[in-house]
Amino acid sequence: MRRGTFVRWGVPIATAAVIGAAIGAGPVIAAVSGEPVLPERTPQQLLADAAAATGKDGGLPPMSGTVQQTASLGLPALPQTGVESPLSLLSGSHEVKVWYGAHDKLRVAMPTQMNETNLILNGGQAWYYDSSSNTATKLTIKGEAGKQHRLPTPQPTDVTPQQVAERLLANVDQHTAVRVINNAEVAGRPAYQLVVAPKDPGSLVQEIRIALDGENYVPLQVQVYAKGSAEPAFQLGFTQVTFTPPAPENFTFTPPAGTKVEERTLGLDAAGQQAEQRAEHAKDVADQLKVVGDGWTSVAVVPFSPSDLAPAPTPATGSADAHDPFGGGGSDPSALLDSVLKSATPVSGTWGSGKLIKTKLVTALVTDDGRLLVGAVTPEEIIEAAGTK
Amino acid sequence: MSTVDTSTSPGAGSGVRAGEARRTPGLVPVAETLETTERHARPETPTPPVPSARERWAFWRLLGSELGLTFRRPRNLAMLAVIACVPVIIGVTLRIVGGQGGMGGIIADVAGNSLMLTFFALSFLVLLMMPVAVTVVAGDSVAGEAGAGTLRYLLAAPAGRTRLLLVKYLNAAIYAYAVTAVVALSALLTGLVLFPAGPVTLLSGTTITMAEGLLRILIAVGYVGAGMAALAAIGLALSTFTEVSIGAIAGTIVLVIVCQVLRAIPELDSITPYLLPTWFTNFDAVLRAPVDFGALREGLVAFGAYIALFGSIAWARFSGKDITS
């Protein structure tokens, strides 16, 4: 080895170190610079602030940014479905771009490789444009224009942390402990961290962390932690956000030449008919639905057999647990169920026998006597619930 | 340089070089070469009268002669020709098939506008064909000279190893841009001949004028070319480790293929941002409204990181290597 050899190889090693440092710089800088300093707020104040920020009357400030959703629910391998399928949101990481001008001006774009799906909402009309099929759908909204149709179930349109946080905060009650932990930095902005945690030990949810912007209390990130895991099982948050009004051309859409244009008039909002059907469906189910327990450990019991899965959303996942921000059933539930049931564990007890499906956040039990039990609870709890007929 | 010139293109700049080659051909000891490198770093050079201007002139001269060799070498021209054919084939196929209607997505876009063929061709070729072409030149750059026994003559001139490496890299990078430009031009011409020209529809559904569409093609070419230049840095680094150029070429191509395979495995999503080929296809950001400059910037930063890392590896290896051939 020559004297100069070490010096020379020091250059690429230093380069690698610099690159590595740049990649890991975010967390390191955050750790070194410490938590951002913000005025003290009590959990109650923050709850009120958050409610005011997400409330419809106050209105969110205009903003645009990139929202990233990451889910690692520990589901068994999902069947391969289309890229755009809502089922694909249950695993992996996804990114959408959001431009928000006012309560009736919104553009959501989901960029994929050489493709893009856009939903543009402007006043009483909405456009849905899918570049892969080259179709534009015009959705004219009558009546309650722009007003959100309230439903107990999370909707596919719940793409922003605001909407999810709003639903979560609506469910804070006596079963929930609320506290504020150290401030964090989300999307480059200082943020409060509000933690809601179930008091009941039977819940699979460890805690839910909501990051509220330090200036305007807009929720920037929602993280759901499962019991016994340090990484969030579900995370939805801005990776980049600016609170300036987006350019107006984001909210105008003219179907390009050569595009198939379809028109649909909706009685309700953009999520419209589907949402209504869902509500109807949920109501039907609700008649047969029995809830065992309450709060975070409530277990929904519905009559169920794998064969009656023909119509879309699996009723129980939709209506059972409003705490889960990702409940909404998929487009292809039977395929999903098939693959899930294959990996299920058989269990039995005095109540009979069934198959247990366990993920990080949700446990489901399909009993042989035709019931489906779903809840964000431990397997013991759900088996106990199966016993209470 | 002199022997290279006699083998492939007699004449190009060989006179001056031959005059300056004052050392005995043979082993070039590292200590001596290091000295040479250091000499250039310091202001006092062994030829005091006309130092920097003449050196700079020599640098461009060397680069010019390298480029001359690269673009006159039959295999490099053949690769360019093959690559230029692919957009034509794609265009003709789409013209025949697209007439039947019922096509969706990007194919309908291509059939609807002449400029879209360029983006389609780029997204198709950037996966493997363009990397192969660039790798052949980059992987051959140092190893080829070593294999042919001409490297020591190149180093005999007081050009310095660092500068020679820089010339070799710039040469490969320029070829990378040439490959990209050839794809874009061929696709653009094919598109203009086969498909209607006019305003361009973006992926976001917005329509822009044709002039702006051409500008966006230019941005895409700049981006993809930078990506190919980053790949050339890897090829160059491998090239300094071997005297068999096919080894460096095959090594780099295998690396590209392995990266593509890793990207296809959904479970390995977390590592894909660190793989170079992941960033090649990011040029579709120019097809969005507004242009997603964030995605382009991220890609360029990744390319820069790769160039810095593998460039420095190539330098560390090459400046300390015993040149025996």
Side-chain angles (χ1 to χ4, degrees):
Chain A
M1 277 283 172
R2 269 179 221 93
R3 184 174 47 88
T5 310
F6 295 108
V7 183
R8 253 192 316 275
W9 281 99
V11 176
I13 291 167
T15 314
V18 167
I19 293 169
I23 292 170
V28 170
I29 289 174
V32 169
S33 65
E35 59 193 60
V37 179
L38 289 169
E40 290 276 320
R41 305 289 278 179
T42 65
Q44 280 67 34
Q45 280 173 319
L46 275 182
L47 276 178
D49 292 333
T54 52
K56 285 290 158 226
D57 42 326
L60 288 169
M63 57 157 83
S64 56
T66 309
V67 175
Q68 195 179 43
Q69 182 248 32
T70 317
S72 63
L73 300 175
L75 282 176
L78 293 175
Q80 285 294 322
T81 50
V83 188
E84 307 297 331
S85 159
L87 280 182
S88 68
L89 294 177
L90 289 179
S91 59
S93 169
H94 300 270
E95 219 173 62
V96 293
K97 297 204 170 276
V98 178
W99 292 264
Y100 178 84
H103 71 93
D104 61 346
K105 277 188 169 35
L106 173 73
R107 174 179 166 203
V108 180
M110 189 168 174
T112 47
Q113 181 60 55
M114 283 303 269
N115 269 328
E116 192 172 301
T117 322
N118 270 278
L119 177 69
I120 294 154
L121 193 71
N122 191 355
Q125 69 174 18
W127 281 98
Y128 176 79
Y129 178 72
D130 183 0
S131 78
S132 68
S133 60
N134 205 15
T135 49
T137 313
K138 185 184 184 181
L139 309 157
T140 312
I141 300 151
K142 277 186 180 168
E144 316 161 61
K147 194 176 151 200
Q148 208 179 1
H149 188 64
R150 299 305 301 255
L151 279 174
T153 61
Q155 294 302 299
T157 48
D158 284 354
V159 290
T160 60
Q162 286 84 358
Q163 289 159 318
V164 174
E166 190 187 349
R167 280 172 205 283
L168 285 171
L169 294 176
N171 284 297
V172 171
D173 55 19
Q174 73 277 14
H175 303 286
T176 309
V178 185
R179 64 198 158 93
V180 176
I181 57 168
N182 54 326
N183 300 330
E185 195 149 292
V186 177
R189 295 179 65 90
Y192 292 104
Q193 285 206 96
L194 189 65
V195 178
V196 290
K199 286 177 182 164
D200 196 309
S203 171
L204 279 181
V205 177
Q206 170 78 38
E207 60 187 31
I208 298 179
R209 287 187 193 172
I210 304 166
L212 300 171
D213 188 89
E215 264 172 50
N216 47 26
Y217 308 109
V218 170
L220 295 179
Q221 181 173 274
V222 175
Q223 295 171 307
V224 183
Y225 286 80
K227 281 262 159 71
S229 73
E231 294 291 312
F234 177 86
Q235 175 171 330
L236 179 71
F238 283 102
T239 52
Q240 181 261 319
V241 68
T242 45
F243 286 96
T244 48
E249 56 262 29
N250 279 312
F251 307 114
T252 54
F253 182 83
T254 324
T259 309
K260 289 193 286 289
V261 179
E262 293 166 5
E263 285 207 32
R264 260 190 246 167
T265 307
L266 299 177
L268 296 164
D269 57 27
Q273 274 153 352
Q274 198 205 350
E276 183 145 79
Q277 280 168 7
R278 242 175 221 253
E280 289 283 312
H281 200 77
K283 213 172 155 194
D284 285 352
V285 174
D287 295 340
Q288 307 162 306
L289 174 81
K290 204 171 67 166
V291 177
V292 180
D294 55 359
W296 293 81
T297 51
S298 54
V299 172
V301 188
V302 280
F304 171 82
S305 70
S307 54
D308 63 41
L309 251 190
T314 2
T317 43
S319 56
D321 197 345
H323 304 305
D324 285 336
F326 49 85
S331 57
D332 197 7
S334 49
L336 174 64
L337 193 85
D338 277 349
S339 82
V340 167
L341 276 182
K342 266 181 213 147
S343 61
T345 351
V347 287
S348 61
T350 48
W351 44 271
S353 62
K355 283 184 166 174
L356 186 75
I357 301 145
K358 192 178 176 309
T359 69
K360 276 188 198 166
L361 279 178
V362 180
T363 309
L365 176 65
V366 183
T367 62
D368 293 344
D369 57 356
R371 287 178 302 155
L372 170 68
L373 295 93
V374 181
V377 293
T378 54
E380 293 74 36
E381 291 268 332
I382 209 160
I383 289 169
E384 192 184 306
T388 56
K389 293 234 172 180
Chain B
M1 185 57 57
S2 44
T3 28
V4 184
D5 284 340
T6 44
S7 62
T8 42
S9 66
S14 57
V16 182
R17 296 269 139 230
E20 287 173 5
R22 57 187 189 283
R23 282 189 200 107
T24 337
L27 179 78
V28 180
V30 172
E32 234 187 300
T33 328
L34 258 186
E35 224 171 78
T36 326
T37 337
E38 281 163 7
R39 229 182 274 145
H40 292 297
R42 279 189 236 121
E44 64 269 11
T45 40
T47 47
V50 270
S52 62
R54 191 175 155 191
E55 273 172 27
R56 211 171 296 136
W57 171 237
F59 177 83
W60 292 115
R61 205 187 172 88
L62 187 57
L63 180 60
S65 101
E66 275 296 321
L67 285 173
L69 284 178
T70 303
F71 284 95
R72 254 174 286 166
R73 196 161 277 165
R75 63 159 179 255
N76 295 348
L77 293 176
M79 282 190 304
L80 285 180
V82 168
I83 278 184
C85 285
V86 178
V88 179
I89 297 171
I90 297 175
V92 171
T93 315
L94 287 179
R95 173 81 191 175
I96 296 167
V97 178
Q100 297 162 0
M103 306 300 283
I106 191 77
I107 298 175
D109 286 349
V110 171
N113 192 282
S114 49
L115 300 193
M116 288 304 281
L117 181 64
T118 311
F119 297 105
F120 185 67
L122 275 178
S123 72
F124 182 71
L125 288 171
V126 84
L127 298 176
L128 197 59
M129 279 195 78
M130 287 163 62
V132 166
V134 172
T135 302
V136 167
V137 171
D140 186 54
S141 54
V142 176
E145 302 273 7
T150 48
L151 190 54
R152 55 183 165 179
Y153 298 109
L154 276 176
L155 289 172
R161 294 191 180 194
T162 307
R163 193 187 304 194
L164 178 64
L165 199 65
L166 194 62
V167 165
K168 288 288 185 188
Y169 179 65
L170 282 180
N171 174 50
I174 290 170
Y175 186 77
Y177 267 98
V179 168
T180 318
V182 161
V183 171
L185 278 179
S186 157
L188 192 60
L189 292 178
T190 313
L192 286 173
V193 170
L194 294 177
F195 302 110
V200 187
T201 301
L202 301 176
L203 294 176
S204 306
T206 320
T207 305
I208 56 168
T209 60
M210 202 169 152
E212 201 179 331
L214 289 172
L215 179 69
R216 293 195 181 203
I217 287 182
L218 209 61
I219 300 175
V221 168
Y223 179 86
V224 174
M228 292 297 121
L231 183 70
I234 300 181
L236 181 71
L238 288 188
S239 185
T240 57
F241 282 88
T242 173
E243 290 183 4
V244 189
S245 57
I246 193 69
I249 295 168
T252 316
I253 292 172
V254 165
L255 217 58
V256 171
I257 294 173
V258 166
C259 286
Q260 303 285 23
V261 170
L262 291 181
R263 283 179 61 207
I265 303 173
E267 280 73 19
L268 297 177
D269 267 355
S270 51
I271 64 160
T272 47
Y274 305 110
L275 305 177
L276 182 61
T278 309
W279 299 100
F280 287 166
T281 47
N282 255 26
F283 69 88
D284 61 1
V286 303
L287 284 176
R288 311 195 190 280
V291 176
D292 191 353
F293 285 111
L296 292 182
R297 194 170 50 236
E298 275 177 34
L300 289 177
V301 167
F303 297 154
Y306 265 93
I307 292 173
L309 181 61
F310 283 90
S312 62
I313 290 175
W315 175 81
R317 168 68 184 165
F318 188 61
S319 57
K321 190 182 180 185
D322 279 341
I323 308 295
T324 51
S325 56

